[in-house]
């Protein structure tokens, strides 16, 4: 039923205006289960402001104002370093990357959906490399952005370490999801969505490099800064 505009109260108009002004995507706290071997926390605002991992670990990732950093601690834990991943991999002497191998996998749409932590996705059966597994995909914008960021961080870190080939399964799964038109992975070979909480505004400094972080250009500069 259409409500005539004069019947809307001032309070109703104010509420409607507030709703229209509210972004569709809110800050999100996401937890990914890493194949049963531990949980990976993700703090998400948008594709340009994202934190992956915990400061308690030796390595974590930060996308700040669109720049992607890998952040590491010195062996004694007293120093913190950040390296711009995109700048490092753009160097002429950067280690070679790895291409996804879509020819080695095939995906068949199953006749069911699966809801994981409140997000519903389509189930696909994937076959490749003499094994099979299920892939649960969603078009949810937040999950899609987080998937690309987390998979991308793992793939690029493997390349930066000179072990890009170890990330081929991740690169292939991400490319497969994109080829199916639903890039958000709720459950795959490595990660399963274990938790999702939205609506709470995260502090802005969660998406900035800490003041005591030393930005380095490469591994040698980082090693020299240890001492």
């Amino acid at each position: 039923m259409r409500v005539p505009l004069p019947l809307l109260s001032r309070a109703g108009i104010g509420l409607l205006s507030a709703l229209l002004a509210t972004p569709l995507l809110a800050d999100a706290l996401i937890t990914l289960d890493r194949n049963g071997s531990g949980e990976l926390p993700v703090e998400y605002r948008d594709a340009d402001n994202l934190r992956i991992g915990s400061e308690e670990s030796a390595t974590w990732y930060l996308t700040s104002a669109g720049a992607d950093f890998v952040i590491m601690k010195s062996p004694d834990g007293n120093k913190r370093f950040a390296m711009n991943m995109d700048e490092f991999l753009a160097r002429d002497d950067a280690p070679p990357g790895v291409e996804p191998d879509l020819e080695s996998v095939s995906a068949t749409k199953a006749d069911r959906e699966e809801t994981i932590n409140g997000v519903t996705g389509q189930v696909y059966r994937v076959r490749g490399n003499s094994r099979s597994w299920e892939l649960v995909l969603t078009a949810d914008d937040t999950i899609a952005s987080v998937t690309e960021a987390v998979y991308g961080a793992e793939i690029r870190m493997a390349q930066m370490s000179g072990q890009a080939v170890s990330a081929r399964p991740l690169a292939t799964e991400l490319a497969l999801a994109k080829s199916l038109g639903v890039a958000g992975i709720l459950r795959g070979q490595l990660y399963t969505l274990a938790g999702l909480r939205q609506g709470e505004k995260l502090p802005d400094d969660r998406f900035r490099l800490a003041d005591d972080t030393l930005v380095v250009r490469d591994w040698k500069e980082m090693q020299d800064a240890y001492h």
Side-chain angles (χ1 to χ4, degrees), residues 10-29:
R10 290 184 180 180
I13 292 174
L15 176 60
L16 178 61
S17 299
L19 289 172
L20 292 175
T22 301
L24 293 177
L25 296 179
D27 290 358
L29 294 172

Side-chain angles (χ1 to χ4, degrees), residues 78-140:
N78 292 328
K79 295 181 180 179
R80 180 161 39 192
F81 308 92
M83 195 184 306
N84 187 306
M85 302 176 82
D86 297 322
E87 289 182 0
F88 179 87
L89 293 175
R91 294 165 49 140
D92 292 338
D93 60 347
V98 63
E99 293 296 325
D101 183 14
L102 282 177
E103 293 184 359
S104 69
V105 295
S106 61
T108 303
K109 190 175 183 178
D111 60 356
R112 65 186 176 88
E113 295 182 333
E114 184 174 325
T115 299
I116 301 176
N117 278 282
V119 183
T120 300
Q122 174 62 49
V123 178
Y124 291 82
R125 302 185 192 282
V126 183
R127 295 184 180 277
N129 298 318
S130 301
R131 60 183 297 267
S132 63
W133 66 96
E134 286 188 343
L135 192 60
V136 184
L137 302 179
T138 176
D140 180 274

Side-chain angles (χ1 to χ4, degrees), residues 8-9 19 65 88 164 185 192 194 211 222:
L8 287 173
S9 67
L19 289 172
F88 179 87
I185 298 178
T192 298
D211 292 339
M222 185 177 71

